[in-house]
Amino acid sequence: MNGLTAEAMVVLQKIIKACAARPFGEAQAELLCPDALCRAELQLALLELREAGLLELRQKLWGERLYQIPEKHLPSLQRILFPRVPVQAVEVTAMDEEAGPELSGELFRALAFIAEEGLPLTAKGAIHKKNINRLAAGLTLPGEQLKGLFPAARQEVYPFPLPVMVILDLLLCLGLVRRGDSAFLLETRVLESWLQLSGKQMSSLLYGLVLSRYGQPDPAGQHFRYIVSSADYPSGMWFALRDILERMLGAGLVRDQGTAALEASARIWLAGLAAFGWCELGRTEDGSVCFRWTTARPQFPLYEAAAFSSRSLDIQEPSDETEESFDQENLPQQDEIRPASDSPGFIVQPDFEVLVPAECPYSHRWLLAGCAELQHSDDLWSYRLTREKLESAAEQGLSPETVISWLADHAQGGLPAQVELSLRQWSKGIGRTELAEVILLACRSEADGNDIAAHPRLSGLLARIGPQHFIVRMEDVESVRKELRAAGLAPPKRIAGQKAEPGSGWPFLNGSGMVDFSAYTLPVHGHETGLFAFAPVPPLIPLNLHASEEAVLSGLAAVPQMWIKQWRKYHATTAQKVMEQAVEWGVKVRLSMEGEVCEFIPARISRNPWEVQGTLLLARPDRVQEARLSAGDWQEMQLMIPKMRRNSSSA
């Protein structure tokens, strides 16, 4: 490991152990100061970590300042700062929790439901219970395994079934859905980009959101979640939970929380991953809880090159990674997405069932969902072609001829003859008649009706159907309104009985892949916009290294230089002043006591009689000990000024 000083490394390790990637205040930072470091050395170490990009400092509106290690660095720091231990696979004799359906497929079902049936809101802003229940019935996500992933207070705010809570939260965070005035609406442009991703890419993004949003908020729980996500635990092999907890205990990653509480939260977390289709839970012969990743394990880019500065950590990647090597294929990059027209298609069976292999793009699956009934979205997706869905597609603007042509072009082996014949037979009865919405102009009296009928410029715009009523075509409404206003017969601006409906029907998007799309990216503020909106992230305090270092030793020029540069004995009064200056700055003092040279970290001064209390650093094995000293307890002394700009190019 190159670039960081020994002091910064010790401070970083203590922060990781105590806080993981959770925010902590300045007061807690001082409590984390290693015994052998003074306050000034701690401040300089924190500045060094900030300069390296390993630590951030943010400030809330009321002035409180919080440090935090960026969560994206936690996996790499765990690997570097704590020794890797050999992991041992175990034999399982009983299965407790099987893997649920893939989470990306559940999101797809929810998106299709919103497009087809909608999620309207009541006047109070709540989702209609009928729609919530229908959405819950269409999901196969097991709710029992999701218990404990969220605080109970959140479930009181949104009394939804747990699967619905999770799905809506993720859809909002991904930017695929937004809350409108009267309904939850699809963001079609974002949805277009999302559907161009592969299943692995979707799973990777979803796992990142699940890691950052769900689970217990304590540091030990966060450490556990990232440890089990590491390449140390490959898919297809069973691992005992107790072995992971012992590993964490040995590394000092379990602090105030006992192992029993951590084991309980870890089991809840693993049960949630099983519900999302990523792992399974079982037991060994002696009853120990075990887990294993499934083949659907998310390829989360844990070993992606972190955005460390050039003077940060020198990360050496393991050279023996095989299956669990996270390569660039797993990241949602635009140049990896091949056009839908070049992608493998689906298979249309003679019994009208449509089988969708895993490699079929999601854009094809979305268009299929608009013209066929989605039946299964587990390992092998399947749809069924029906007359009702063909009619529904026509109502949304996709003619039966277009649907048949698209199916024939993208089905492997084409359409079976009997299927195509039936589709064309169904299409003959679609679109032959149409119910059109028109505007009815109503008059107050028959005399007004006669005046309007005799108006020369309205004769071609109206069709009289009674003494006081006329039909107005939608496209002629404004022209009629203008002429009636000029004649002194202006109607109200609002058309009686007309109500805006939420949503705009099924968005077929560009399932054919004929137009360009932009690569999907997570919304910048997605963490704050989910169903469980987290508190806004406080703004980052810019690092002004020179000013920050000057503030550590403010007033340095006014202090006699001999206190810093000379190793000598002072009069008792002067010795007290030197020690008091050390307390003010938070620096060490080098002392000679009974012929032995040692270092002393003064903390507090008391008077009458004058004494200084602090930490004595001796050369003996028990070198760190608390001490109370008077001015006569030492002979020579010298202020020890920490080296400034220790991590800069000018050092």
Side-chain angles (χ1 to χ4, degrees):
M1 184 176 299
N2 299 329
L4 290 182
T5 60
E7 295 91 339
M9 283 296 306
V10 173
V11 171
L12 178 62
Q13 192 168 48
K14 287 187 73 80
I15 292 174
I16 287 283
K17 285 183 176 181
C19 306
R22 299 296 181 187
F24 60 97
E26 293 179 297
Q28 188 175 358
E30 294 194 9
L31 294 176
L32 294 174
C33 182
D35 293 335
L37 295 188
C38 61
R39 189 175 73 249
E41 288 174 320
L42 171 66
Q43 294 300 320
L44 291 174
L46 294 173
L47 285 174
E48 187 178 341
L49 294 175
R50 288 178 64 195
E51 184 189 18
L54 298 174
L55 191 66
E56 295 175 343
L57 181 61
R58 299 179 179 273
Q59 184 166 337
K60 294 186 175 181
L61 291 176
W62 53 89
E64 182 185 6
R65 305 208 302 179
L66 298 173
Y67 287 100
Q68 183 176 11
I69 290 175
E71 191 169 345
K72 63 183 179 181
H73 296 336
L74 184 59
S76 296
L77 291 176
Q78 282 181 336
R79 292 179 51 243
I80 294 168
L81 296 176
F82 306 105
R84 297 178 69 177
V85 297
V87 295
Q88 185 69 40
V90 297
E91 293 291 333
V92 166
T93 58
M95 179 78 75
D96 287 345
E97 302 282 358
E98 294 186 354
E102 288 191 18
L103 187 55
S104 56
E106 291 294 282
L107 258 68
F108 187 96
R109 281 187 173 274
L111 288 166
F113 177 89
I114 295 172
E116 192 164 8
E117 300 194 31
L119 279 182
L121 301 174
T122 65
K124 295 183 178 180
I127 305 176
H128 284 279
K129 188 174 182 179
K130 177 186 68 174
N131 296 75
I132 286 292
N133 291 337
R134 285 183 56 80
L135 174 57
L139 299 174
T140 53
L141 192 63
E144 188 67 25
Q145 295 170 231
L146 301 177
K147 290 182 178 179
L149 285 184
F150 325 100
R154 292 180 182 171
Q155 298 182 37
E156 294 173 1
V157 176
Y158 300 101
F160 304 154
L162 286 175
V164 175
M165 291 177 64
V166 171
I167 294 300
L168 276 182
D169 183 57
L170 292 174
L171 289 177
L172 289 166
C173 288
L174 292 166
L176 299 173
V177 169
R178 65 178 173 86
R179 185 189 181 98
D181 295 333
S182 58
F184 281 90
L185 304 174
L186 296 179
E187 290 283 17
T188 54
R189 293 299 300 171
V190 181
L191 178 58
E192 174 77 17
S193 300
W194 173 259
L195 293 174
Q196 304 299 331
L197 299 178
S198 68
K200 284 186 177 181
Q201 292 167 335
M202 291 180 180
S203 188
S204 172
L205 290 168
L206 288 170
Y207 189 55
L209 281 177
V210 169
L211 269 177
S212 64
R213 295 182 65 80
Y214 305 151
Q216 297 302 312
D218 59 283
Q222 190 179 44
H223 275 305
F224 172 82
R225 293 192 285 274
Y226 277 96
I227 287 174
V228 298
S229 301
S230 71
D232 292 344
Y233 302 95
S235 60
M237 301 173 64
W238 289 98
F239 300 98
L241 177 58
R242 65 185 177 193
D243 293 344
I244 302 176
L245 300 183
E246 289 176 3
R247 170 183 176 178
M248 293 178 61
L249 194 63
L253 301 180
V254 183
R255 295 174 65 86
D256 298 333
Q257 183 186 34
T259 53
L262 177 59
E263 180 177 3
S265 68
R267 291 176 64 178
I268 289 173
W269 175 254
L270 292 174
L273 296 188
F276 297 145
W278 292 326
C279 81
E280 297 173 318
L281 294 179
R283 290 183 181 273
T284 59
E285 190 173 1
D286 63 359
S288 298
V289 178
C290 304
F291 82 99
R292 71 175 173 186
W293 290 99
T294 65
T295 54
R297 171 183 180 159
Q299 299 297 299
F300 188 64
L302 296 177
Y303 297 142
E304 178 185 3
F308 299 156
S309 73
S310 59
R311 298 187 184 87
S312 180
L313 306 180
D314 183 17
I315 303 175
Q316 298 296 327
E317 301 293 349
S319 58
D320 57 346
E321 291 182 12
T322 55
E323 176 191 15
E324 298 303 321
S325 177
F326 298 97
D327 55 32
Q328 293 298 309
E329 190 277 337
N330 302 311
L331 304 181
Q333 297 178 359
Q334 182 174 356
D335 57 359
E336 297 167 0
I337 305 168
R338 57 183 173 183
S341 57
D342 298 338
S343 302
F346 39 82
I347 303 168
V348 180
Q349 302 274 70
D351 62 354
F352 297 89
E353 186 178 19
V354 182
L355 302 179
V356 181
E359 61 272 14
C360 183
Y362 275 75
S363 56
H364 285 1
R365 304 181 196 206
W366 181 259
L367 204 150
L368 274 173
C371 59
E373 291 181 1
L374 175 61
Q375 294 186 317
H376 302 291
S377 58
D378 298 333
D379 295 337
L380 181 64
W381 289 39
S382 68
Y383 297 78
R384 180 164 294 280
L385 296 170
T386 65
R387 180 188 179 109
E388 291 74 19
K389 289 297 291 188
L390 196 62
E391 292 175 349
S392 175
E395 290 179 3
Q396 303 300 330
L398 204 64
S399 67
E401 292 75 18
T402 303
V403 171
I404 296 170
S405 175
W406 183 82
L407 290 172
D409 290 343
H410 293 86
Q412 296 182 24
L415 281 175
Q418 59 269 44
V419 172
E420 183 174 359
L421 181 62
S422 295
L423 290 174
R424 296 198 180 280
Q425 188 67 31
W426 294 341
S427 69
K428 292 179 180 180
I430 298 175
R432 298 180 64 178
T433 60
E434 179 180 60
L435 289 174
E437 206 174 58
V438 295
I439 303 299
L440 180 69
L441 174 63
C443 304
R444 185 174 51 187
S445 65
E446 186 175 347
D448 288 340
N450 293 333
D451 291 341
I452 291 174
H455 196 292
R457 288 191 297 273
L458 289 174
S459 59
L461 303 177
L462 302 172
R464 194 170 189 175
I465 58 173
Q468 298 172 238
H469 297 89
F470 298 81
I471 288 179
V472 184
R473 293 191 301 269
M474 292 290 293
E475 59 268 24
D476 294 332
V477 167
E478 291 307 315
S479 298
V480 171
R481 191 188 297 276
K482 178 181 177 182
E483 295 298 336
L484 291 176
R485 186 183 300 113
L489 298 168
K493 290 184 178 180
R494 179 180 173 275
I495 299 176
Q498 195 172 76
K499 183 177 72 172
E501 293 293 333
S504 56
W506 186 278
F508 280 102
L509 307 175
N510 298 306
S512 60
M514 295 300 292
V515 301
D516 293 335
F517 58 87
S518 57
Y520 176 83
T521 56
L522 278 171
V524 176
H525 301 293
H527 195 67
E528 304 167 17
T529 57
L531 192 65
F532 317 130
F534 286 61
V537 178
L540 192 68
I541 298 177
L543 177 61
N544 185 333
L545 191 60
H546 177 74
S548 299
E549 287 185 335
E550 291 295 324
V552 173
L553 299 178
S554 59
L556 180 61
V559 173
Q561 291 299 296
M562 68 173 61
W563 294 3
I564 300 170
K565 296 182 178 180
Q566 294 185 15
W567 167 250
R568 55 172 292 179
K569 183 175 182 179
Y570 294 97
H571 184 272
T573 303
T574 305
Q576 292 174 3
K577 291 181 179 179
V578 175
M579 193 64 74
E580 289 168 0
Q581 183 62 58
V583 173
E584 179 182 339
W585 278 342
V587 299
K588 295 176 181 176
V589 183
R590 185 150 51 113
L591 303 175
S592 64
M593 300 175 62
E594 300 178 354
E596 181 180 356
V597 177
C598 60
E599 296 176 0
F600 182 64
I601 304 175
R604 289 174 294 279
I605 301 288
S606 59
R607 303 182 187 279
N608 299 323
W610 187 97
E611 280 186 333
V612 58
Q613 182 178 355
T615 304
L616 200 59
L617 308 178
L618 304 171
R620 297 191 294 272
D622 54 342
R623 62 186 306 266
V624 179
Q625 63 184 51
E626 294 296 313
R628 299 178 69 94
L629 305 176
S630 61
D633 290 335
W634 68 84
Q635 292 78 49
E636 291 86 3
M637 68 184 307
Q638 182 182 12
L639 289 176
M640 300 178 64
I641 304 301
K643 185 177 179 181
M644 309 293 279
R645 290 191 175 276
R646 59 183 62 204
N647 201 32
S648 70
S649 57
S650 61

